[in-house]
Amino acid sequence: MTEPVAIRKAASAIIEIDRVSQIFQTSARKDHLALSDISLTIDEGAFVSILGPSGCGKSTLLYIVGGFVSPTDGAAKMKGKTITGPGPDRGPVFQEFALFPWKTVLGNVMYGPRQQRVRASEAEAQSRGLIEMVGLKGYENFYPKELSGGMKQRVALARTLAYHPEVLLMDEPFGALDAHTRTRLQNDLLNIWERDRKTVLFVTHSVDEAVFLSDKVVMMSKSPGRIRQVIDVDLPRPRRRNELLLEPRYQKYVVDIERMFDESDEAGSTS
Amino acid sequence: MMPPTALVRRAAPVLACIGVLALWQVAALALKNDSFPTAVEAMRAIPAILGDKEALINIMASLRRMAIGFGVAVLVSIPLGLMMGRSRAVAAFFNPLLMVIYPVPKAALMPIIMLWLGVGDITKTLVIFLGVSLPVIYHSFEGAKAVEEKMLWSGAAMGLSAIQRMVRIVLPAALPEILTGCRTGLVLALITMITSEMIARQSGAGNILFNALDMGQYDTVFAMIIIVGAMGIGLDAIFERVRARLVRWSEPQFDMPLSFS
Ligand SMILES: Nc1ncnc2c1ncn2[C@@H]1O[C@H](COP(=O)(O)OP(=O)(O)OP(=O)(O)O)[C@@H](O)[C@H]1O
Ligand SMILES: [Mg+2]
């Protein structure tokens, strides 16, 4: 291993997902097995991506860790304690943004700190810094309806970062962005992560993105949602995109993972 | 200097009023009916009413009942509607009750209420309360139901309790819909106010109107219609201003507001 990785403190589990299954009642009154027997351990400070086809239960798994959904079977634990509900130690960034439309950009970002009784002036200063970091300086007093999809996504990210959750639960946070902004925010996220060493659980469709960002890529398959494989990404940090793209080991990860998906598709179509 | 489109928008309500009065004038002159005074005759009777102390006391009494009925209805209906929208159990409990009350004209309940509570303020205020409640409950309910779940989850993750989420997320998120209900409620308050005074004649603007009708003072009748109409338009305009301010964050940018403000 290269140096920056070795410096990291001895890994201890922060989140344990223990044989979690999730059954949904569909409107046709049939049971739908969205997640089947998922077990996964996430180390403190790790960047873990969940990769899988649409509908394989990635969001559901994230909601269970967030405490928004309680699993039909099994349990998720945070620092050894069973998760029974949401809390500020786990900060979600939802696929749908879920900004507060009656608050301005600044009001949205300040909401969490204010809830935690951070002084208004301090919360504002911090929030302005975060807004600048996500590239929205000058938009502080805009309302969500006045922003594009990608801008809303960035506000959602800043809003969650603002209350300093130990674990970030990000559901395709860069899905709605153009390639350029996406790259920029990936870099920003990596910078924040390398600085604060937050634990990140990151859902994505993109193999590139998963390999670029993660220590660990969890590949899921569909119907029922299962973990197919967990791949440790052993690439040096800090990672620079332009260097990494030329790195044969990076390329091999991407190609290998893509091949595994193709194989599962073929298996799915012949069965 | 106002751009011409804004000028037209400002002037439109005034032009509409003048248009209605002009039509009225022409129709009255053409029909030459004793019970249909011209617009000018009716308007000439207005100062006499507004200058009369007795009449003013009546009108103020009407407005007071309306304000109390409307205010209490809003204070009760918004929390009830929001809770119904977020809790299946609360909705299941109140829905049948409201479904029975909804189609009943509130004025039709007045004889019974009068029997129990007399012909005074309480009866009339109660009828106004009932008239205002239902649209406000309904719109609060719909607004709360439509609140995006992820928004509530975001709040929960920030540490908001269930009650805080209700007050600080559901309420503001549903506010545009709630205020739509309140606006309907305000107009209904005016209508039930006059109706209640028609049934239980004892005081109020409706009392003046129907007494004048009995005595064949048609210019007073029509003057009162103008006064009540103006009150309605004025209240609605004020409310619409307040509403627009409160929900600026939700309005589509190029919406033509349906109001006289
Ligand atoms: N509340 C629910 N009720 C019923 N079924 C649900 C519910 N939520 C999710 N599902 C089902 O569970 C499965 C997994 O959904 P989920 O949203 O977790 O998928 P996903 O992997 O996040 O997909 P995507 O990549 O498209 O976001 C889907 O088949 C979906 O239909
Ligand atoms: Mg999803």
Side-chain angles (χ1 to χ4, degrees), chain B residues 49-69:
Chain B
I49 298 171
L50 293 182
D52 180 35
K53 195 155 165 259
E54 192 73 13
L56 279 183
I57 290 172
N58 271 303
I59 292 172
M60 288 317 284
S62 289
L63 283 175
R64 198 187 62 236
R65 282 192 294 269
M66 186 178 149
I68 294 171

Side-chain angles (χ1 to χ4, degrees), chain A residues 22-27 30 32-35 50-63 69 95-96 171-172 203-205 220 222-223 225, chain B residues 149-150 153:
Chain A
Q22 183 66 42
I23 296 168
F24 283 117
Q25 293 266 323
T26 59
S27 37
K30 274 173 61 185
H32 173 78
L33 185 58
L35 290 175
I50 300 178
L51 194 61
S54 185
C56 72
K58 304 182 295 293
S59 296
T60 306
L61 186 60
L62 216 66
Y63 299 159
V69 167
Q95 217 169 347
E96 305 88 342
D171 197 353
E172 300 187 31
V203 167
T204 177
H205 274 131
M220 290 183 65
K222 201 179 161 176
S223 329
Chain B
E149 193 166 41
K150 302 288 153 49
W153 289 4

Side-chain angles (χ1 to χ4, degrees), chain B residues 9 183 240 243 251 255-261:
Chain B
R9 255 190 19 205
R183 192 175 174 193
E240 178 53 25
R243 193 195 65 82
E251 301 284 271
D255 196 28
M256 162 96 174
L258 211 68
S259 88
F260 295 97
S261 56

